[in-house]
């Protein structure tokens, strides 16, 4: 039985037993730029990578810490190794959730030095949910709730080619300084 996938950079990666040295940002950026959000049910192609870039830009607009910005960029990185399952189904797949959590933690530890704090995880979820709302509005003319969530940035749903999204993802990843001092206090804000 094969227990690995071969990544873009030709690493035989074991998603159930992630090894930090095998996690490559190049593989993540490439894969996420080619994976379509909403299981391909949007009116046009919109990649997970573009979604992560919009989440990152929202964190920037909200003046969040460098760690929250990086977490927004990486929050779907596990999907580059195990794909995604839609929210209505994922809630019933406990083993998948455990695998995804283990892989996400390994990715955060590799690139951020530690798992997310409770605050960081909450901010990523708030931003991720806000982007989801506006994506469904843009690509399906569907309102997921009566009250639109607050956004500080204007999401860019048409970021260019897969290759351009991949390169932008890598450029932003390489520009984030996790040692950056932040004036932002850890309080949940921007909730409407």
């Amino acid at each position: 039985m094969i227990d690995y996938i071969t990544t873009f950079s030709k690493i035989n990666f074991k998603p159930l037993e992630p090894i930090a040295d095998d996690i490559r940002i190049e593989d993540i950026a490439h894969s996420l730029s080619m994976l379509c959000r909403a299981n391909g049910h949007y009116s046009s192609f919109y990649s997970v990578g573009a979604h992560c870039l919009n989440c990152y830009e929202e964190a920037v607009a909200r003046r969040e810490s460098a760690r929250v910005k990086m977490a927004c960029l990486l929050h779907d990185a596990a999907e580059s190794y195990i794909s995604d399952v839609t929210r209505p189904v994922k809630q019933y797949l406990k083993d998948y959730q455990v695998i995804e959590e283990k892989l996400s933690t390994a990715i955060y530890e590799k690139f951020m030095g530690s798992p997310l704090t409770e605050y960081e995880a909450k901010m990523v979820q708030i931003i991720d949910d806000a982007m989801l709302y506006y994506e469904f509005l843009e690509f399906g003319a569907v309102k997921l709730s009566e009250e639109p969530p607050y956004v500080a940035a204007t999401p860019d749903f048409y970021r260019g080619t897969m290759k351009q999204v991949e390169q932008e993802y890598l450029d932003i990843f390489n520009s984030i300084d996790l040692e950056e001092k932040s004036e932002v206090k850890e309080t949940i804000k921007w909730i409407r």
Side-chain angles (χ1 to χ4, degrees):
M1 181 162 83
I2 296 176
D3 63 349
Y4 64 87
I5 63 166
T6 302
T7 68
F8 175 66
S9 67
K10 307 299 184 260
I11 299 291
N12 290 335
F13 185 85
K14 296 183 177 185
L16 301 181
E17 299 170 21
I19 298 169
D21 288 345
D22 291 343
I23 299 170
R24 305 273 173 91
I25 196 61
E26 296 80 10
D27 288 332
I28 292 167
H30 179 78
S31 176
L32 295 184
S33 73
M34 297 184 71
L35 293 174
C36 191
R37 291 276 289 169
N39 221 29
H41 291 284
Y42 283 154
S43 59
S44 62
F45 182 80
Y46 176 68
S47 72
V48 176
H51 162 77
C52 291
L53 292 171
N54 278 329
C55 288
Y56 162 82
E57 289 172 354
E58 181 64 19
V60 169
R62 292 177 186 222
R63 301 182 54 195
E64 287 295 334
S65 69
R67 280 185 56 90
V68 171
K69 294 172 195 172
M70 181 67 84
C72 281
L73 191 66
L74 295 172
H75 79 279
D76 284 334
E79 293 178 21
S80 66
Y81 298 107
I82 59 173
S83 198
D84 191 21
V85 176
T86 57
R87 286 186 183 193
V89 176
K90 188 185 292 189
Q91 63 187 327
Y92 296 104
L93 302 177
K94 300 304 178 202
D95 289 343
Y96 177 91
Q97 292 174 33
V98 169
I99 293 165
E100 182 181 40
E101 181 63 30
K102 180 179 180 180
L103 189 49
S104 291
T105 297
I107 291 166
Y108 289 134
E109 287 176 348
K110 161 98 181 201
F111 297 120
M112 297 174 64
S114 64
L116 300 184
T117 66
E118 182 179 340
Y119 171 80
E120 292 163 349
K122 182 65 176 170
M123 285 311 304
V124 168
Q125 187 65 55
I126 289 168
I127 291 170
D128 187 33
D129 288 346
M131 290 302 113
L132 180 69
Y133 176 91
Y134 289 103
E135 289 166 16
F136 266 84
L137 199 57
E138 178 69 20
F139 294 112
V142 173
K143 287 185 175 183
L144 296 179
S145 64
E146 288 300 315
E147 180 81 21
Y150 173 82
V151 288
T154 302
D156 180 357
F157 297 118
Y158 304 97
R159 302 190 85 92
T161 66
M162 293 173 196
K163 198 64 173 162
Q164 288 168 323
V165 168
E166 177 181 351
Q167 189 58 56
E168 186 177 1
Y169 191 101
L170 290 170
D171 291 345
I172 288 173
F173 174 85
N174 289 319
S175 75
I176 299 173
D177 177 7
L178 292 175
E179 301 301 317
E180 167 189 299
K181 299 297 179 211
S182 176
E183 299 295 318
V184 176
K185 293 182 175 43
E186 289 198 353
T187 58
I188 300 296
K189 53 189 170 294
W190 311 104
I191 301 174
R192 265 174 85 172

